[in-house]
Amino acid sequence: MAALIWLIVGILLVVAEVLSGDFVLVMLGAAALAAAGVSALGAADLVSVLVFAASSVGLIVGARPIVKKRLQLGSGVRMHHEALLGAKAVALSQVDEHGGQVKIGGDTWSARTLDGSVIEEGEAVTVVEISGATAVVIAAV
């Protein structure tokens, strides 16, 4: 019976982690699952509680910082608009501080210059910022 209770607590904690995203509840859930395993093997309730306590501390102090850091760093691949920063592009029309169009990769973007300069059609530019759906560019160096 104790194994079933530990199992339910473990599953509920892991599910609750989806809502919090702080990696505390999932560590407690894993510790509860470890306690469920020990209890299912016939260990006394006190042993299950000790396994839960030791596993909780070990996971929160040891594994949580590593997992959190790893997920915050991500894969190192820039996504979405961050991937466009520093990209080379070509002006499809005259681009000034009020507007224009550039081709970044295979996509056409609305654009404006960062410094108010005028970039002529066909000139190379560098993307320095994405402001909404507009690429902010400077003349390529």
Side-chain angles (χ1 to χ4, degrees):
M1 180 67 174
L4 182 61
I5 293 171
W6 280 116
L7 181 65
I8 291 169
V9 168
I11 291 170
L12 289 175
L13 286 168
V14 171
V15 169
E17 177 64 40
V18 172
L19 301 175
S20 78
D22 200 34
F23 300 109
V24 172
L25 297 177
V26 75
M27 298 302 163
L28 294 176
L33 293 175
V38 169
S39 182
L41 293 174
D45 289 344
L46 178 61
V47 174
S48 296
V49 170
L50 292 174
V51 166
F52 173 76
S55 298
S56 295
V57 170
L59 288 169
I60 290 172
V61 172
R64 181 178 173 264
I66 295 168
V67 171
K68 195 168 182 178
K69 183 178 180 182
R70 174 74 176 157
L71 289 175
Q72 285 175 343
L73 290 176
S75 63
V77 175
R78 296 188 304 173
M79 300 296 289
H80 308 295
H81 70 277
E82 289 180 1
L84 299 175
L85 300 179
K88 301 297 181 199
V90 176
L92 296 177
S93 65
Q94 184 182 47
V95 181
D96 59 25
E97 62 188 321
H98 303 292
Q101 287 191 328
V102 295
K103 186 169 207 130
I104 307 171
D107 297 323
T108 301
W109 279 73
S110 296
R112 65 177 172 82
T113 57
L114 178 67
D115 54 7
S117 62
V118 177
I119 298 169
E120 296 299 326
E121 182 179 343
E123 288 187 39
V125 296
T126 301
V127 179
V128 294
E129 181 183 330
I130 299 294
S131 178
T134 301
V136 180
V137 299
I138 58 172
V141 186

